[in-house]
Amino acid sequence: MSNLSRFLKDNKLKKENTKYAATKSLVDEKGNPLEWLIRPITTKMNDAIREDCMYEVPIKGKMGMSKEKLNTSKYISRLIVSSVIEPDLNNKELQDSYGVMSAEELIKEMIDDPGEYNDFALFIQNYNGFTETLQDEVEEAKN
């Protein structure tokens, strides 16, 4: 008897949403940091985000040749935005209150402390199954 049935979609475990207090500067009436609702992204979503964050770089000394490079900052920002369910980062009223016009700009205004932003980015990457962060990969590639 085949074990194929174990691989059917109905048997696949579903990763649940989670909560994370992304910044200490947004608090409830008791002074506790607000928790943000986070969802896992799919491999297909990640591929689309990554593809959207690629750009061409000319190869020095090779006329007309180029290679693709990942805009890491843009990728991280899009990964965060795609993972956040609440607050709704595409809400016009919320964007207007911070004087921005996109979810990517909004996330950086809401979490304007670089350390908190970095911690949140690491949390999002880990939650989505990246065992090595993009920063680790960039550092490794430099060496």
Side-chain angles (χ1 to χ4, degrees):
M1 186 159 135
S2 170
N3 289 328
L4 179 66
S5 63
R6 294 180 185 172
F7 291 95
L8 297 176
K9 189 171 184 175
D10 288 344
N11 295 323
K12 187 174 181 189
L13 297 176
K14 185 176 185 246
K15 189 170 188 177
E16 298 297 322
N17 295 342
T18 191
K19 293 184 177 186
Y20 184 85
T23 179
K24 294 176 187 146
S25 61
L26 294 168
V27 297
D28 64 16
E29 57 281 343
K30 295 179 182 175
N32 300 314
L34 296 174
E35 289 190 323
W36 298 33
L37 185 59
I38 311 299
R39 70 175 176 166
I41 63 163
T42 64
T43 300
K44 196 183 276 189
M45 290 169 67
N46 184 61
D47 286 349
I49 294 166
R50 183 177 285 275
E51 181 65 32
D52 191 47
C53 296
M54 299 298 282
Y55 63 99
E56 295 287 322
V57 178
I59 298 175
K60 289 182 182 177
K62 296 193 178 186
M63 190 80 132
M65 294 191 70
S66 63
K67 62 182 177 180
E68 282 193 320
K69 196 167 183 180
L70 177 68
N71 180 333
T72 310
S73 179
K74 182 178 177 182
Y75 173 76
I76 295 290
S77 178
R78 295 252 171 108
L79 183 66
I80 292 170
V81 166
S82 296
S83 297
V84 173
I85 297 173
E86 191 178 293
D88 178 2
L89 300 174
N90 292 302
N91 180 283
K92 183 175 174 11
E93 182 181 357
L94 187 56
Q95 289 179 4
D96 288 349
S97 78
Y98 284 89
V100 298
M101 296 177 65
S102 74
E104 288 80 14
E105 290 175 298
L106 179 60
I107 195 73
K108 290 181 179 179
E109 287 295 322
M110 292 179 79
I111 309 173
D112 61 355
D113 178 288
E116 286 182 341
Y117 184 84
N118 188 55
D119 289 346
F120 190 39
L122 291 172
F123 172 81
I124 294 291
Q125 289 175 73
N126 288 328
Y127 178 67
N128 281 298
F130 295 102
T131 54
E132 275 194 24
T133 66
L134 270 160
Q135 205 55 37
D136 293 336
E137 291 177 25
V138 168
E139 291 302 319
E140 189 175 312
K142 287 180 181 177
N143 296 329

